[in-house]
Amino acid sequence: MAFVELFVVALVPVLKTLIITAVGLFLALERINLLGSTARHHLNNLVFYIFTPALVASSLAETVTSSNIVSLWFMPVNILLTFIIGSVLGWILVKITKTPIHLHGLVISCCSAGNLGNLLLIIIPAVCEEKNSPFGDSITCSTNGKAYASLSMAVGAVYIWTYIYNMIRASGSQHNNTSTQVPKLPPMDMDHESQLALPLIAYQTTHDHHQGHVVKKMKQHIKIWTQRIKFKMLFAPSTIATIVGILIGVSSLLRKLIIGNEAPLHVIDSSASMLGEAAIPAMTLIVGANLLKGLKKSEVGVWIVLGIQVIRYVALPLSGICVVKVARHYGLVGSDSLYQFVLLLQYALPSAMTIGTITQLFEVGESECSVIMLWNYALASVALTLWTTYYMWILS
């Protein structure tokens, strides 16, 4: 495949995302006001409870089977590695740039969570349908590619709605708790000498009970973090949808009942697919609407935005090459070049649009998230195309 053709293939899905983002920005303008704060809140709930679970369940049920799910075991591990490596690099970034505490979760999330769903569902079939595609027959390539992309989207959704959700929530809660703390002042009726003696008394008390104080503090921190992390989010709607989709896909009885045009209950699958198609446009519109606020006022600095781009488009893709090469050397991924291509591509994707949905749910860092996403997807048109070209070259 020629470079220009490949460039167009990779550029089109990113341009679609940018155009829909611009529409969301337009709808949020005060003169239009179709995506104000209240409208965005309700749309977020629809994405979280209805659209995303429907998309995940229908895609998995249609593409994952009992024969191919066993061979795909390394993909959840590979996606987990993208989150781990990205989180470590993101943590280093927030320390170097001294990012505001309430944005720690957002920055680390943008570094660790990639767009593992809609971009792969667009890019992979487009690559398969090209005449000079290195992945063989277009029909077989498209079928397998959709299965890979669907599983990638489902696993990514589970990680995002458990790990990323709780991290942004904890970061926002920590900021709120810190900002609401008011220092205690000495009573106004105390004389000056008594007020001066307060630090000495406090020091003596702390010194006498230092060991017990440390233990108490540790217990308090453990309790606070336990309260911040919603363990029920391990069974978020997207997680449940993943389980349901896989069960339908691998069960021959359920598959015959629900999947396929001749299936008696095919209307259930087609209805879920119809609802799922609204997930990606809705999430993208929300990011665009939040961007209006970010253009007016944002606490995210230039170095933070630049650091995220370097991590997502330089450090992570290079790490991915090393991971996949090691996995291929030890026979963990088989010989399917398309499967290896998807594994590599998971490291080179822009940040997940779902992060914008989560920041909107907690009302923390919405504007900053939109600014980060704008630059992220603007650069993706070049970076993603170049990495796609390089990955296909090393696998051909």
Short mmCIF file of all heavy atoms in Angstrom, two decimals, residues 295-333:
data_model
loop_
_atom_site.label_atom_id
_atom_site.label_comp_id
_atom_site.label_asym_id
_atom_site.label_seq_id
_atom_site.Cartn_x
_atom_site.Cartn_y
_atom_site.Cartn_z
N LEU A 295 -11.46 26.72 26.33
CA LEU A 295 -10.90 27.84 25.57
C LEU A 295 -10.99 29.14 26.35
O LEU A 295 -10.18 30.04 26.16
CB LEU A 295 -11.64 27.97 24.23
CG LEU A 295 -11.43 26.81 23.24
CD1 LEU A 295 -12.30 27.01 22.01
CD2 LEU A 295 -9.97 26.68 22.84
N LYS A 296 -12.01 29.24 27.23
CA LYS A 296 -12.16 30.45 28.04
C LYS A 296 -11.20 30.44 29.23
O LYS A 296 -10.58 31.45 29.55
CB LYS A 296 -13.61 30.54 28.54
CG LYS A 296 -14.63 30.76 27.44
CD LYS A 296 -16.04 30.81 28.01
CE LYS A 296 -17.08 31.05 26.92
NZ LYS A 296 -18.46 31.05 27.48
N LYS A 297 -11.10 29.29 29.91
CA LYS A 297 -10.26 29.21 31.09
C LYS A 297 -9.82 27.77 31.30
O LYS A 297 -10.63 26.85 31.30
CB LYS A 297 -11.02 29.70 32.33
CG LYS A 297 -10.18 29.65 33.61
CD LYS A 297 -11.00 30.12 34.80
CE LYS A 297 -10.17 30.04 36.08
NZ LYS A 297 -10.97 30.46 37.27
N SER A 298 -8.51 27.59 31.45
CA SER A 298 -7.98 26.25 31.66
C SER A 298 -6.71 26.32 32.50
O SER A 298 -5.89 27.23 32.33
CB SER A 298 -7.67 25.58 30.32
OG SER A 298 -7.05 24.33 30.51
N GLU A 299 -6.57 25.35 33.42
CA GLU A 299 -5.40 25.33 34.29
C GLU A 299 -4.30 24.42 33.76
O GLU A 299 -3.27 24.26 34.40
CB GLU A 299 -5.81 24.85 35.70
CG GLU A 299 -6.77 25.80 36.40
CD GLU A 299 -7.11 25.33 37.80
OE1 GLU A 299 -6.27 24.66 38.42
OE2 GLU A 299 -8.22 25.61 38.28
N VAL A 300 -4.52 23.81 32.63
CA VAL A 300 -3.52 22.90 32.08
C VAL A 300 -2.45 23.71 31.34
O VAL A 300 -2.75 24.56 30.50
CB VAL A 300 -4.18 21.86 31.15
CG1 VAL A 300 -4.80 22.52 29.94
CG2 VAL A 300 -3.17 20.79 30.73
N GLY A 301 -1.18 23.46 31.69
CA GLY A 301 -0.08 24.22 31.11
C GLY A 301 0.42 23.63 29.81
O GLY A 301 0.09 22.50 29.45
N VAL A 302 1.22 24.40 29.12
CA VAL A 302 1.77 23.96 27.83
C VAL A 302 2.63 22.71 28.00
O VAL A 302 2.56 21.77 27.20
CB VAL A 302 2.61 25.09 27.19
CG1 VAL A 302 3.28 24.60 25.91
CG2 VAL A 302 1.74 26.31 26.91
N TRP A 303 3.44 22.68 29.07
CA TRP A 303 4.34 21.54 29.27
C TRP A 303 3.57 20.26 29.59
O TRP A 303 4.02 19.16 29.24
CB TRP A 303 5.34 21.85 30.38
CG TRP A 303 6.34 22.89 29.98
CD1 TRP A 303 6.44 24.16 30.44
CD2 TRP A 303 7.37 22.75 28.99
NE1 TRP A 303 7.48 24.84 29.82
CE2 TRP A 303 8.07 23.99 28.92
CE3 TRP A 303 7.78 21.71 28.16
CZ2 TRP A 303 9.13 24.20 28.06
CZ3 TRP A 303 8.85 21.92 27.30
CH2 TRP A 303 9.51 23.15 27.25
N ILE A 304 2.42 20.40 30.25
CA ILE A 304 1.60 19.22 30.53
C ILE A 304 1.05 18.65 29.23
O ILE A 304 1.13 17.44 28.97
CB ILE A 304 0.44 19.58 31.49
CG1 ILE A 304 0.99 20.03 32.84
CG2 ILE A 304 -0.49 18.38 31.66
CD1 ILE A 304 -0.08 20.50 33.80
N VAL A 305 0.50 19.53 28.39
CA VAL A 305 -0.06 19.09 27.11
C VAL A 305 1.04 18.47 26.24
O VAL A 305 0.84 17.40 25.64
CB VAL A 305 -0.71 20.28 26.37
CG1 VAL A 305 -1.19 19.86 24.99
CG2 VAL A 305 -1.88 20.83 27.19
N LEU A 306 2.19 19.13 26.18
CA LEU A 306 3.31 18.62 25.38
C LEU A 306 3.79 17.27 25.91
O LEU A 306 4.06 16.34 25.13
CB LEU A 306 4.46 19.63 25.39
CG LEU A 306 5.71 19.26 24.60
CD1 LEU A 306 5.36 19.09 23.12
CD2 LEU A 306 6.79 20.31 24.77
N GLY A 307 3.87 17.14 27.24
CA GLY A 307 4.32 15.89 27.84
C GLY A 307 3.40 14.73 27.52
O GLY A 307 3.86 13.61 27.24
N ILE A 308 2.09 14.98 27.54
CA ILE A 308 1.12 13.93 27.22
C ILE A 308 1.29 13.47 25.77
O ILE A 308 1.24 12.27 25.48
CB ILE A 308 -0.32 14.43 27.46
CG1 ILE A 308 -0.56 14.64 28.96
CG2 ILE A 308 -1.35 13.46 26.89
CD1 ILE A 308 -1.88 15.30 29.29
N GLN A 309 1.52 14.41 24.87
CA GLN A 309 1.70 14.04 23.46
C GLN A 309 2.97 13.21 23.26
O GLN A 309 2.97 12.25 22.48
CB GLN A 309 1.76 15.30 22.57
CG GLN A 309 0.68 16.34 22.81
CD GLN A 309 -0.71 15.76 22.94
OE1 GLN A 309 -1.12 14.87 22.20
NE2 GLN A 309 -1.45 16.26 23.92
N VAL A 310 4.04 13.58 23.95
CA VAL A 310 5.29 12.82 23.84
C VAL A 310 5.10 11.39 24.36
O VAL A 310 5.58 10.42 23.75
CB VAL A 310 6.42 13.54 24.61
CG1 VAL A 310 7.67 12.65 24.68
CG2 VAL A 310 6.76 14.87 23.96
N ILE A 311 4.39 11.27 25.47
CA ILE A 311 4.15 9.94 26.04
C ILE A 311 3.29 9.10 25.11
O ILE A 311 3.61 7.94 24.82
CB ILE A 311 3.48 10.06 27.42
CG1 ILE A 311 4.48 10.61 28.44
CG2 ILE A 311 2.94 8.71 27.90
CD1 ILE A 311 3.88 10.94 29.78
N ARG A 312 2.22 9.68 24.60
CA ARG A 312 1.27 8.90 23.79
C ARG A 312 1.82 8.58 22.40
O ARG A 312 1.52 7.51 21.85
CB ARG A 312 -0.06 9.66 23.65
CG ARG A 312 -0.88 9.68 24.91
CD ARG A 312 -2.30 9.19 24.63
NE ARG A 312 -2.33 7.84 24.14
CZ ARG A 312 -2.52 6.77 24.92
NH1 ARG A 312 -2.66 6.91 26.22
NH2 ARG A 312 -2.55 5.56 24.40
N TYR A 313 2.61 9.48 21.80
CA TYR A 313 3.01 9.28 20.41
C TYR A 313 4.49 8.95 20.22
O TYR A 313 4.91 8.74 19.08
CB TYR A 313 2.65 10.52 19.59
CG TYR A 313 1.16 10.76 19.53
CD1 TYR A 313 0.62 12.01 19.80
CD2 TYR A 313 0.28 9.72 19.21
CE1 TYR A 313 -0.76 12.23 19.75
CE2 TYR A 313 -1.08 9.93 19.15
CZ TYR A 313 -1.60 11.18 19.43
OH TYR A 313 -2.95 11.38 19.38
N VAL A 314 5.26 8.91 21.30
CA VAL A 314 6.67 8.53 21.19
C VAL A 314 7.01 7.39 22.14
O VAL A 314 7.41 6.30 21.71
CB VAL A 314 7.61 9.74 21.46
CG1 VAL A 314 9.07 9.30 21.34
CG2 VAL A 314 7.33 10.88 20.49
N ALA A 315 6.84 7.64 23.44
CA ALA A 315 7.25 6.66 24.45
C ALA A 315 6.43 5.38 24.40
O ALA A 315 6.98 4.27 24.39
CB ALA A 315 7.18 7.29 25.84
N LEU A 316 5.11 5.51 24.35
CA LEU A 316 4.25 4.32 24.35
C LEU A 316 4.40 3.47 23.08
O LEU A 316 4.53 2.25 23.18
CB LEU A 316 2.79 4.73 24.54
CG LEU A 316 2.32 4.87 26.00
CD1 LEU A 316 0.90 5.41 26.05
CD2 LEU A 316 2.39 3.53 26.71
N PRO A 317 4.40 4.06 21.88
CA PRO A 317 4.61 3.22 20.68
C PRO A 317 5.93 2.48 20.69
O PRO A 317 5.99 1.31 20.27
CB PRO A 317 4.54 4.24 19.54
CG PRO A 317 3.71 5.36 20.07
CD PRO A 317 4.06 5.45 21.51
N LEU A 318 7.00 3.12 21.15
CA LEU A 318 8.30 2.44 21.23
C LEU A 318 8.25 1.30 22.25
O LEU A 318 8.81 0.22 22.01
CB LEU A 318 9.39 3.44 21.61
CG LEU A 318 9.72 4.51 20.56
CD1 LEU A 318 10.73 5.51 21.11
CD2 LEU A 318 10.27 3.86 19.28
N SER A 319 7.55 1.53 23.36
CA SER A 319 7.38 0.47 24.36
C SER A 319 6.59 -0.69 23.76
O SER A 319 6.89 -1.87 24.02
CB SER A 319 6.65 1.01 25.59
OG SER A 319 7.35 2.08 26.17
N GLY A 320 5.58 -0.37 22.97
CA GLY A 320 4.75 -1.40 22.35
C GLY A 320 5.53 -2.30 21.41
O GLY A 320 5.30 -3.52 21.37
N ILE A 321 6.44 -1.72 20.66
CA ILE A 321 7.28 -2.52 19.77
C ILE A 321 8.08 -3.54 20.56
O ILE A 321 8.18 -4.72 20.18
CB ILE A 321 8.21 -1.60 18.95
CG1 ILE A 321 7.39 -0.73 17.99
CG2 ILE A 321 9.23 -2.43 18.16
CD1 ILE A 321 8.20 0.32 17.26
N CYS A 322 8.64 -3.10 21.68
CA CYS A 322 9.42 -4.01 22.53
C CYS A 322 8.56 -5.13 23.10
O CYS A 322 8.95 -6.30 23.10
CB CYS A 322 10.09 -3.23 23.67
SG CYS A 322 11.27 -1.99 23.13
N VAL A 323 7.35 -4.76 23.59
CA VAL A 323 6.46 -5.75 24.20
C VAL A 323 6.04 -6.81 23.18
O VAL A 323 6.10 -8.02 23.45
CB VAL A 323 5.22 -5.06 24.78
CG1 VAL A 323 4.17 -6.09 25.21
CG2 VAL A 323 5.59 -4.20 25.99
N VAL A 324 5.60 -6.38 22.01
CA VAL A 324 5.11 -7.31 21.00
C VAL A 324 6.24 -8.17 20.45
O VAL A 324 6.06 -9.37 20.17
CB VAL A 324 4.39 -6.55 19.87
CG1 VAL A 324 3.98 -7.50 18.75
CG2 VAL A 324 3.16 -5.83 20.42
N LYS A 325 7.43 -7.60 20.31
CA LYS A 325 8.58 -8.39 19.84
C LYS A 325 8.92 -9.49 20.83
O LYS A 325 9.20 -10.63 20.43
CB LYS A 325 9.79 -7.47 19.62
CG LYS A 325 9.80 -6.77 18.28
CD LYS A 325 11.13 -6.11 18.01
CE LYS A 325 11.19 -5.53 16.60
NZ LYS A 325 12.51 -4.92 16.30
N VAL A 326 8.90 -9.16 22.12
CA VAL A 326 9.18 -10.17 23.15
C VAL A 326 8.08 -11.24 23.13
O VAL A 326 8.37 -12.45 23.21
CB VAL A 326 9.27 -9.51 24.54
CG1 VAL A 326 9.32 -10.58 25.64
CG2 VAL A 326 10.48 -8.61 24.62
N ALA A 327 6.82 -10.82 23.03
CA ALA A 327 5.71 -11.77 23.01
C ALA A 327 5.79 -12.68 21.79
O ALA A 327 5.52 -13.89 21.88
CB ALA A 327 4.39 -11.00 23.01
N ARG A 328 6.17 -12.12 20.65
CA ARG A 328 6.30 -12.93 19.43
C ARG A 328 7.47 -13.90 19.54
O ARG A 328 7.39 -15.04 19.08
CB ARG A 328 6.48 -12.00 18.22
CG ARG A 328 6.49 -12.73 16.89
CD ARG A 328 6.39 -11.76 15.73
NE ARG A 328 7.46 -10.77 15.73
CZ ARG A 328 7.59 -9.82 14.81
NH1 ARG A 328 6.69 -9.75 13.83
NH2 ARG A 328 8.57 -8.96 14.86
N HIS A 329 8.55 -13.45 20.18
CA HIS A 329 9.74 -14.30 20.35
C HIS A 329 9.41 -15.54 21.18
O HIS A 329 9.90 -16.64 20.89
CB HIS A 329 10.86 -13.50 21.01
CG HIS A 329 12.09 -14.31 21.30
ND1 HIS A 329 12.96 -14.72 20.31
CD2 HIS A 329 12.57 -14.81 22.47
CE1 HIS A 329 13.94 -15.43 20.85
NE2 HIS A 329 13.73 -15.49 22.17
N TYR A 330 8.57 -15.37 22.19
CA TYR A 330 8.21 -16.49 23.07
C TYR A 330 6.93 -17.19 22.63
O TYR A 330 6.40 -18.03 23.37
CB TYR A 330 8.07 -16.00 24.51
CG TYR A 330 9.39 -15.67 25.16
CD1 TYR A 330 9.82 -14.35 25.26
CD2 TYR A 330 10.22 -16.67 25.66
CE1 TYR A 330 11.04 -14.03 25.85
CE2 TYR A 330 11.44 -16.37 26.24
CZ TYR A 330 11.84 -15.05 26.33
OH TYR A 330 13.06 -14.75 26.92
N GLY A 331 6.43 -16.86 21.45
CA GLY A 331 5.27 -17.56 20.91
C GLY A 331 3.96 -17.27 21.61
O GLY A 331 3.07 -18.13 21.63
N LEU A 332 3.81 -16.08 22.17
CA LEU A 332 2.59 -15.74 22.92
C LEU A 332 1.49 -15.18 22.05
O LEU A 332 0.34 -15.12 22.48
CB LEU A 332 2.93 -14.74 24.03
CG LEU A 332 3.99 -15.16 25.05
CD1 LEU A 332 4.25 -14.03 26.04
CD2 LEU A 332 3.54 -16.41 25.80
N VAL A 333 1.81 -14.75 20.84
CA VAL A 333 0.82 -14.07 19.99
C VAL A 333 0.57 -14.78 18.66
O VAL A 333 -0.21 -14.31 17.85
CB VAL A 333 1.24 -12.61 19.71
CG1 VAL A 333 1.28 -11.83 21.00
CG2 VAL A 333 2.59 -12.54 19.01
#
